[in-house]
Amino acid sequence: MCLAIPGKVVSISGDDPLVRMGKINFSGIIKEVSLAYVPEVVIGDYVIVHVGFALSKVDEAEAQKVFEYLRQMDELGDLEPEGVK
Amino acid sequence: MKFLDEYRDGELAQKLAAEIHRVTTKSWTIMEVCGGQTHAIIKFGIDELLPKQITLIHGPGCPVCVTPLEVIDQALKIAARSEVVFTSFGDMLRVPGSTTDLLAVKALGGDVRIVYSPLDAVKLAVENPTREVVFFGVGFETTAPATAMAVFQAAQKGLKNFSMLISHVLVPPAIEALMSSPNCRVQGFLAAGHVCAVMGYEEYFPLAKKYHIPIVVTGFEPLDILHGILLTVQQLESGRAEVENQYARAVSRAGNLPAQDLIKKVFKIVPRKWRGIGEIPQSGLGLSAAYAVFDAAKKFKLADHRVEEPAECIAGLILQGLKKPHECPAFGTRCTPEHPFGATMVSSEGACAAYYRFRRHDAKELAGAK
Ligand code: SF4
């Protein structure tokens, strides 16, 4: 029950934050989930969903960090064949 | 799929693994807390990419596995009642109680239904006013927001035919219990990313300090896990013991405040027995006084009882990281996912089931075929 993957919000219904629901696309499978805990989410955002509830919005800028880190590692490697920390 | 495929890139994984090799000079034992991470580590063969000096041990973070036998037995008793519609996440259905499991109760005519969300159980209660709908509320901080909302909505709707059998557990008290055990070998933790998405990670600062242990909030994809391991090893090698957040794309320091608010409102912190580990103080959630009418154990007047685990099953040692599944004499022979002795063989997040699915044959051959 803890395995969760990110999905994309394709539509939102309901105004009351407590009952706000969204249709989420998980690689082609659409599920209706509660958006009660992510009031800031809009259509097009990616969310992490657990047992029918979106728990957090995926932050695009933060998502790039590990790739940036790997890129920096490469660049350092190019400069210093021995590799520096 | 965005935010998924790129975190499974084999070449980048090799790069991170090479960096881990480069920075590792000593032997380190790191525990991944969450069963979802265990599953990914075994499935993608991440442990086999690591230097020999690094040992990963699999933590207690599988909710199915730690739900006590006594509570499973209570669920079986409730589910067998003729007036009850018993609803549960699918992975609880095959967990063996002391005599049978929910699937067998269903085969004998019990109305046992799998639901995706606890809100589906609330809906069933609204649609079936003459039946007693009971939801099996288990899980860590990741499912607590969902069960809290189900209870809250049931109260708002004034439902009299809805209740919950609750066995929620919390991660930080379990880390504390592991660390204070004299047998503990853990030197660093990968904290469970999605638990922290809900609760934030402030709770881990005192633990990192008290036990001088690095705690790195980590995601679930191969690159996340390798990155989390790298950050942990870097801390260990330089003698630091900090809380770091590898999974910042989904986790903020404060966590999800609306979810925490509702959890605080509906639940209170209680002592909880963990299957295979024993009672851990302040490690569970139970219904708060204002919502106590939704407590299924009270509603159906179930007495407390104590039962013993099957003698052969060493799941308790596995959940504490003291043994690996293939060291269990019953593993893969008398105990299989079809005939599980212990809960760690049932759930896909359980260490025994993960080893059974991905490591039954030659581990090297699997790693090569990946
Ligand atoms: S293999 Fe089966 S019997 Fe052995 S520890 Fe795992 S669940 Fe228990």
Side-chain angles (χ1 to χ4, degrees):
Chain A
M1 73 197 69
C2 272
L3 300 174
I5 56 167
K8 186 177 186 176
V9 181
V10 291
S11 71
I12 294 177
S13 62
D15 296 327
D16 179 348
L18 270 185
V19 297
R20 208 164 84 111
M21 300 291 286
K23 287 209 161 69
I24 316 288
N25 185 346
F26 300 95
S27 306
I29 299 164
I30 309 274
K31 281 215 148 133
E32 180 135 49
V33 314
S34 167
L35 301 179
Y37 295 129
V38 286
E40 74 281 13
V41 157
V42 295
I43 290 173
D45 283 347
Y46 282 77
V47 288
I48 302 276
V49 176
H50 268 267
V51 296
F53 285 78
L55 294 182
S56 68
K57 178 180 144 173
V58 183
D59 185 313
E60 291 256 19
E62 290 290 350
Q64 289 308 318
K65 289 230 168 121
V66 59
F67 302 107
E68 260 160 46
Y69 173 82
L70 287 165
R71 217 171 298 132
Q72 276 170 6
M73 238 167 64
D74 272 353
E75 282 162 18
L76 285 175
D78 289 346
L79 290 172
E80 282 281 330
E82 247 81 74
V84 287
K85 215 168 181 181
Chain B
M1 175 81 191
K2 194 172 168 194
F3 296 128
L4 203 61
D5 298 336
E6 66 265 42
Y7 291 94
R8 295 186 177 177
D9 184 304
E11 215 170 287
L12 294 179
Q14 293 291 353
K15 244 183 223 173
L16 277 169
E19 184 64 9
I20 296 171
H21 278 266
R22 196 181 70 80
V23 300
T24 306
T25 68
K26 298 193 193 77
S27 294
W28 303 112
T29 301
I30 300 171
M31 174 180 272
E32 85 278 0
V33 171
C34 168
Q37 291 166 335
T38 303
H39 185 89
I41 287 166
I42 305 304
K43 177 174 172 189
F44 294 103
I46 292 170
D47 49 342
E48 288 161 347
L49 296 176
L50 299 175
K52 276 195 298 298
Q53 300 103 302
I54 295 182
T55 308
L56 289 182
I57 53 182
H58 315 308
C62 160
V64 178
C65 309
V66 300
T67 302
L69 205 45
E70 288 85 352
V71 178
I72 307 284
D73 285 347
Q74 289 186 332
L76 295 169
K77 278 197 191 121
I78 296 174
R81 295 172 75 108
S82 58
E83 78 276 27
V84 164
V85 180
F86 194 87
T87 58
S88 167
F89 298 127
D91 28 11
M92 294 308 288
L93 261 58
R94 305 218 45 224
V95 184
S98 36
T99 53
T100 179
D101 61 29
L102 281 168
L103 214 58
V105 171
K106 184 177 164 76
L108 290 173
D111 193 346
V112 177
R113 303 188 198 182
I114 295 175
V115 292
Y116 166 62
S117 159
L119 289 184
D120 298 337
V122 175
K123 205 164 146 221
L124 277 173
V126 172
E127 290 163 357
N128 299 278
T130 61
R131 311 289 311 275
E132 274 294 335
V133 176
V134 182
F135 180 75
F136 199 1
V138 296
F140 282 91
E141 292 92 330
T142 44
T143 52
T147 48
M149 182 63 87
V151 173
F152 182 76
Q153 290 199 1
Q156 276 199 323
K157 291 180 203 290
L159 289 179
K160 301 263 182 290
N161 65 329
F162 178 82
S163 59
M164 235 186 236
L165 181 63
I166 293 190
S167 189
H168 268 301
V169 278
L170 302 169
V171 168
I175 292 189
E176 174 102 49
L178 284 169
M179 286 312 297
S180 53
S181 140
N183 298 327
C184 183
R185 293 159 41 208
V186 182
Q187 294 165 296
F189 280 101
L190 306 185
H194 291 148
V195 164
C196 298
V198 175
M199 302 306 290
Y201 51 89
E202 304 259 353
E203 301 174 277
Y204 298 93
F205 286 89
L207 288 170
K209 195 163 170 213
K210 180 167 172 194
Y211 296 103
H212 194 76
I213 190 160
I215 301 179
V216 178
V217 179
T218 302
F220 298 83
E221 296 303 327
L223 290 196
D224 290 323
I225 293 171
L226 284 163
H227 191 203
I229 293 169
L230 175 59
L231 293 172
T232 311
V233 173
Q234 282 172 336
Q235 285 202 42
L236 288 167
E237 289 282 345
S238 60
R240 287 177 294 130
E242 294 161 10
V243 178
E244 266 184 290
N245 183 12
Q246 181 279 327
Y247 199 38
R249 68 182 183 279
V251 173
S252 66
R253 180 167 172 150
N256 187 318
L257 296 175
Q260 290 171 29
D261 282 348
L262 203 70
I263 289 173
K264 267 191 215 118
K265 195 170 189 165
V266 172
F267 295 127
K268 63 175 183 201
I269 292 178
V270 296
R272 175 80 67 213
K273 185 179 171 192
W274 294 50
R275 189 171 193 168
I277 297 180
E279 185 162 304
I280 304 179
Q282 308 290 302
S283 69
L285 294 173
L287 289 165
S288 65
Y291 293 89
V293 291
F294 294 101
D295 186 340
K298 284 204 186 110
K299 191 173 206 172
F300 296 101
K301 304 199 173 54
L302 296 175
D304 271 345
H305 70 304
R306 293 266 144 179
V307 280
E308 294 304 322
E309 296 285 341
E312 243 183 320
C313 178
I314 60 161
L317 298 175
I318 292 171
L319 290 170
Q320 296 171 72
L322 301 174
K323 282 259 193 286
K324 297 258 177 171
H326 54 253
E327 295 173 278
C328 171
F331 174 78
T333 53
R334 290 180 304 286
C335 177
T336 63
E338 288 72 43
H339 295 282
F341 285 178
T344 42
M345 187 55 101
V346 178
S347 161
S348 62
E349 293 157 51
C352 295
Y355 274 71
Y356 185 86
R357 275 187 68 188
F358 302 115
R359 288 289 160 80
R360 221 165 358 135
H361 313 294
D362 184 354
K364 283 201 194 78
E365 168 194 312
L366 276 177
K370 196 169 66 259

